[in-house]
Amino acid sequence: MALEGRSTGSRIHVLGAGAVGLLFAAHLRKSGHPITLLLRSQASAERFSRSGGRISVVDDWARSQPSRKLLRVDSSSSGNDMVPWLAEDIQAMSTASLHNDKDQQSHIDKLVITTKAHDALQAYWSVRGSLNSKSTVVLLQNGMGTYEAIQRELYPSPQQHQRELISEIPTFIIGTNANGCLRVSEDEFTTHHTAKVSCQFAVRPSLLNPPPPLPPSTLDMLKALSSLPLGATIINWSDLHLQLLLKLAANAVISPVTALTGCRNGYIVPPPLNGTQQCADAGYYDSMRSYLSSACAEIAAVYARAHPHLHCELTTQAIEEYVSHIAYSSARNRSSMLQDIDAGRQTEAEWINGYLVRLGQQHGVPTPVNTLLYTLIKLKEAVRYHMS
């Protein structure tokens, strides 16, 4: 998609100050856009201001050999051997203070939500009063279903209530990010860019009929995103939807196994890449190949019923090749689900394996593999919660 002209430079609000949110906020600020971080509490906003109103980015992807300590989320590893670059002059405020702000900043023109999938709906609720049909919202989460949850909970039956909703519903841009990043310390506004890969964005077609024209903020946001040095591209929704489904499959196959066993991504596709420890049990290779084939075949069966127009692109072989590619290319990485489990946080399994289970139920397709993985992850979460 060609985007001509320059961005207007109006303020962009970023909701979600995790590793991904800090990475995108920093690069947007570096590109010249005014940035406001929307944080959960006033205390966090004040702490950010006291730290100088800046985000530090450590480009670990530039290392010839990535730091294993960083990938293990070792708090003793601060990345001092890599000089961070700074994105400065960034504002911060709590979502509560946004509602108390009586000036023009209470309206949000462009919003990027980078929270975990299970927090996205509540995050949107917290700023809904500052959004309208002139606003543009970027959703950047793992898994699938957050956009549908927002539409279902906040804008039900849009075609029956088009007259009331046409002035309320913002334009949505959906994104998928393959760049690796890590926030080592929750007390510091520093993100480690561990893998420089790519990200794609597309405008989600409106549920209103006829669809309203795109507001100026949407084109402005697309220009801002396309200029980011994160392998960013703007594509059509149909193409992005295919990429989202493939990424969902990769997350569903790789993440829960790594979270349950504590292994790195490369062990999903035997034999491991050079440099990873070889498994002494020869049966391991056959077991993992069998798991990979079964899991991918199950996902392909669900997609064939739910998205029949994509049947040729989402075959078992195509899905297995994509999953294997992701596992190999991120062989030494620890999945975000494993990091969540280790940190005692809620995982995004509800929006990954849980999403596939619900999709299978809707279309009459059994999902024993994903059901088992989802159940075991939720059990693991509960055990970690009670142990903490």
Side-chain angles (χ1 to χ4, degrees), residues 58 60 63 65 67 70 77-84 192:
V58 183
D60 289 296
R63 303 170 187 263
Q65 295 294 328
S67 169
L70 286 176
S77 214
S78 60
N80 291 331
D81 54 333
M82 295 287 292
V83 178
H192 291 262

Side-chain angles (χ1 to χ4, degrees), residues 249 253 291-301 315-316 319-321 323:
V253 174
Y291 162 71
L292 185 63
S293 297
S294 299
C296 292
E298 179 175 293
I299 295 172
T315 63
T316 299
I319 293 174
E320 189 168 342
E321 288 176 354
V323 172

